[in-house]
């Protein structure tokens, strides 16, 4: 009378409705009647949006040709971008000299790679190269000197100018921001007041008014005859502006450190600058790297504002192009292209900042 | 040990060079002197430069005739022949406030909707929300504004081919036209009823709070409030026998006259600012809701509280504490970013006052100073208000 099974029942596969594609769909798309409606509506919207975009940008778009007449205008006319590509990249930089910009890009890319990657053990020399040697090289390479023909900054433009604006501003803003942040946390009331005043004033006003101030009022502030060119004036405005934001980011990092660190440094007999440089700042900056990258993304996007004071960055070159009488009516193509370029840069940087945050986050993870 | 340290031996006075107090004093005096010297240098140069260029100083220009036309004028009368630069400043301020306030409202709605959608467990909805957020946040605002203005709104069909909803609402490259409401006798009761509705709602919500504290019985404040704020004006309108008429936009061959119109400049700025800032607010909302520990939801579930009440009474109030401070800075950013209107020709303070007025009078210092003062005031007001709200909802620890 064996009613107990002796042999093992073969393992059944998990129910089809809970695994695989169907299970996933039931869980993530159709878990309730409300979700089902949401899914159907959003699938409809997404399908139309994606189809319309692909239709415009690829399926009906024109890639070949040299003039506006080659475009059928059912979709995008990428011929416009292709024809003006040189100008979009370099502005009015003389065509024969554009290799200099490319060399600058390559040298910069090498520096950034060496600093960010782990190929070289010590980061000291790559950092010296990127932050001290490279800017000097770039100045002579881009502007001229040592036998290279001088290219006036009024001829700089396009993506090249955007990158120059962003990198010079960050290069000035970071050290200035650190000093301002230290000043804001200083125990000396006068120093603190000056720093707080500067930071809060700059942060309360829009970048445009700072740029206006730099371009309209800087010539008034300086003695007669001493005048910078337009690009330097814009750079002064942008650097001061981002220094104020950088200062707040660094202050956040400084505040996150326990007081004991400073006290320990003092009890070891380190002076103010020694304890800041060796103990406090390395930790504080490490904490604030993700926010620094985010500030840089903001700064990079803000470089487009120089359009308003009449510099020819990526956006204004394209804008000027869309107003060319031979290429009228192509505003959409122009702005979509600019948007795509900025998106690639900014999205890349924000991913990098998220990756970095995870890498530096050495505590518990949930 | 201590005796070996130079300058620290017993009874020996610290050298003044090494005394922190003396050094601090010296350093601060140095800062003050440098700062004053810097200010003096700049002021001196500026005065010399202004004299050389023959530019007047002072605020007299505010009462001078402006002599240029302004595209969008709200609430005040403006005339290029008789109005002054002071009027220009006023119009600039009104236009900035108009676009900022309406932008803040729409951006908050967009931000909260997409922030919640971003947390949805529906995969498709979640992905759509994150695509929106990532696209909008990573493209410069100015590019978006120019796109909306030049590539979308100005490319709309012209007046004759305008897109119409019914006969009275029309959308074309001159703007969005819709009928205006023309008040007739007895119209005054409607706004009064509206105001009474708002005040009554405030009192009802206070009373409901008190009753809930005392007896534990909740009162449907939200639906009552809606009823009061919307219902009272409707009742008032019916009582007075619908005291208003509509003026419909009349389609001419090349133009539309009558009715109300939203100009494309305003629409581009309004849409651009709200969509851009909405993306940032969505991220803030998402991280705020995520910051509320999951245990709170579990505790609410185990008490048998319904999901929507859990969200409204347990999750959202706690999330708001995390959300409000960054939300404040987004509101400030939106207001400051409205200055980008310069690029698309919406007449706000930077465009008309720090732009056209400055070019006409040349008084850069006064004009830029006034403009900055305005933004400073706005920033201060928004932060004071949001700090007040923040302290109201902050955790009260006993």
């Amino acid at each position: 009378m064996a009613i107990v099974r002796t042999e093992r029942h073969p393992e059944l596969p998990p129910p089809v409705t809970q695994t695989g594609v169907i299970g996933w769909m039931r869980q993530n798309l159709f878990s309730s009647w409300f979700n089902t409606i949401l899914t159907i509506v959003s699938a409809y919207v997404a399908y139309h949006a994606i189809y319309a975009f692909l239709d415009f940008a690829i399926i009906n778009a024109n890639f070949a040709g040299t003039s506006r007449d080659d475009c059928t205008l059912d979709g995008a006319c990428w011929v416009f971008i292709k024809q003006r590509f040189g100008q979009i990249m370099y502005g009015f930089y003389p065509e024969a000299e554009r290799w200099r910009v490319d060399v600058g890009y390559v040298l910069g890319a090498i520096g950034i790679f060496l600093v960010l990657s782990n190929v070289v053990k010590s980061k000291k020399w790559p950092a010296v190269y990127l932050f001290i040697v490279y800017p000097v090289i770039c100045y002579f390479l881009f502007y001229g000197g040592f036998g290279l023909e001088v290219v006036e900054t009024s001829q700089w433009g396009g993506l090249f100018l955007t990158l120059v604006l962003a990198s010079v501003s960050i290069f000035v803003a970071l050290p200035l921001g650190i000093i301002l942040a230290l000043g804001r946390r200083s125990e000396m009331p006068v120093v603190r007041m000056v720093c707080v005043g500067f930071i809060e004033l700059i942060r309360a006003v829009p970048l445009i008014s700072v740029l206006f101030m730099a371009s309209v009022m800087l010539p008034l502030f300086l003695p007669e005859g001493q005048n910078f060119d337009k690009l330097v004036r814009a750079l002064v405005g942008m650097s001061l502006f981002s220094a104020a934001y950088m200062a707040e980011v660094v202050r956040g990092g400084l505040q996150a450190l326990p007081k004991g660190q400073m006290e320990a440094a003092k009890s070891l007999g380190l002076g103010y600058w020694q304890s800041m440089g060796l103990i406090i700042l390395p930790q504080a900056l490490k904490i604030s790297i993700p926010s620094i990258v985010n500030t840089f993304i903001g700064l990079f996007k803000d470089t487009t504002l120089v359009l308003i004071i009449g510099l020819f960055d990526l956006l204004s070159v394209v804008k000027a192009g869309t107003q060319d009488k031979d290429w009228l009516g192509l505003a959409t193509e122009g702005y979509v292209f600019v948007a795509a370029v900025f998106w690639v840069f900014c999205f890349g940087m924000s991913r990098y900042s998220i990756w970095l945050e995870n890498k530096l986050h050495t505590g518990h993870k949930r | 040990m201590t005796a070996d340290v130079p300058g620290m031996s017993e009874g020996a006075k610290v050298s003044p060079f090494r005394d922190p107090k003396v050094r601090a004093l010296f350093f601060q005096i140095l800062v003050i002197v440098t700062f004053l010297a810097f200010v003096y240098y700049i002021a001196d140069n500026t005065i010399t430069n202004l004299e050389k260029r023959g530019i007047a100083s002072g605020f007299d220009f505010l009462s001078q005739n402006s002599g240029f036309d302004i595209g969008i004028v709200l609430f005040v009368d403006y005339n290029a022949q008789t109005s002054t630069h002071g009027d220009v400043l006023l119009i600039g301020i009104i236009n900035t406030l108009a676009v900022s306030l309406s932008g803040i409202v729409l951006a908050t709605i967009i931000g909260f909707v997409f922030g919640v959608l971003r947390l949805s467990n529906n995969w498709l909805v979640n992905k759509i929300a994150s695509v929106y957020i990532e696209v909008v946040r990573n493209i410069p605002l100015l590019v978006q504004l120019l796109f909306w203005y030049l590539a979308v709104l100005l490319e709309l069909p012209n007046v004759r081919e305008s897109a119409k909803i019914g006969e009275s609402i029309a959308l074309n490259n001159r703007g969005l036209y819709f009928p205006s409401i023309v008040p007739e006798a007895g119209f005054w009761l409607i706004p009064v009823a509206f105001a009474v509705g708002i005040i009554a709602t405030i009192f009802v919500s206070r009373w409901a709070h008190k009753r809930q504290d005392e007896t534990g019985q909740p009162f449907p404040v939200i639906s009552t409030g809606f009823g009061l704020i919307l219902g009272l004006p409707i009742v008032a309108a019916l009582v007075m026998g619908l005291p208003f008429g509509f003026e419909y936009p009349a389609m001419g061959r090349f133009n539309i006259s009558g009715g109300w119109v939203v100009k494309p400049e305003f629409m581009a700025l309004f849409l651009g600012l709200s969509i851009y800032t909405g993306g940032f607010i969505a991220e803030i909302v998402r991280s705020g809701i995520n910051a509320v520990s999951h245990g709170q939801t579990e505790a609410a579930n185990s008490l048998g509280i319904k999901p929507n009440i859990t969200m409204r009474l347990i999750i959202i109030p706690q999330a708001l504490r995390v959300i409000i401070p960054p939300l404040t800075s987004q509101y400030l950013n939106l207001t400051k970013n409205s200055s980008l209107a310069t690029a698309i020709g919406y007449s706000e303070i930077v465009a008309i006052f720090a732009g056209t007025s400055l070019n006409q009078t040349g008084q850069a210092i006064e004009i830029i100073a006034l403009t900055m003062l305005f933004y400073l005031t706005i920033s201060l007001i928004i932060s004071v208000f949001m700090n007040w709200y923040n302290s109201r909802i902050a955790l009260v620890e006993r």
Side-chain angles (χ1 to χ4, degrees), chain A residues 172-174 176-177 180 198 238-248:
Chain A
V172 178
L174 192 54
L176 200 58
L180 282 171
F198 177 82
M238 295 213 57
S239 308
L240 291 182
F241 186 78
S242 29
Y245 282 82
M246 209 52 94
E248 286 299 274

Side-chain angles (χ1 to χ4, degrees), chain A residues 286-338:
Chain A
K286 183 189 145 186
I287 302 174
S288 37
I289 283 178
S291 325
I292 291 177
V293 178
N294 282 339
T295 314
F296 182 62
I297 296 175
L299 171 67
F300 187 71
K301 288 191 292 178
D302 280 345
T303 56
T304 49
L305 264 63
V306 296
L307 174 143
I308 291 163
I309 58 166
L311 286 175
F312 279 94
D313 76 318
L314 176 61
L315 180 61
S316 21
V317 162
V318 171
K319 190 181 177 225
T322 59
Q323 285 159 351
D324 182 343
K325 66 175 176 8
D326 293 337
W327 296 95
L328 281 180
L330 298 177
T332 316
E333 284 84 347
Y335 295 121
V336 167
F337 178 76
V338 177

Side-chain angles (χ1 to χ4, degrees), chain A residues 358-366:
Chain A
N358 285 333
K359 198 182 124 183
L360 295 177
H361 186 86
T362 37
H364 292 289
K365 253 183 219 149
R366 266 200 285 183

Side-chain angles (χ1 to χ4, degrees), chain A residues 49-89:
Chain A
I50 293 172
Y51 181 77
F53 181 75
L54 289 181
D55 189 53
F56 168 77
I58 295 171
I59 299 172
N60 273 328
N62 297 102
F63 296 94
T66 49
S67 78
R68 194 173 189 282
D69 303 328
D70 294 323
C71 292
T72 52
L73 294 184
D74 295 330
C77 179
W78 298 122
V79 181
F80 167 61
I81 303 293
K82 207 173 78 179
Q83 283 297 308
R84 294 190 163 259
F85 196 70
Q87 216 184 68
I88 291 173
M89 287 293 128

Side-chain angles (χ1 to χ4, degrees), chain B residues 100-119:
Chain B
S100 309
L101 286 180
S102 45
I104 282 176
V105 172
L106 184 62
T108 312
I109 296 171
I110 294 180
F112 272 77
V113 167
F114 277 89
V116 172
L117 289 185
R118 180 78 180 74
L119 284 171

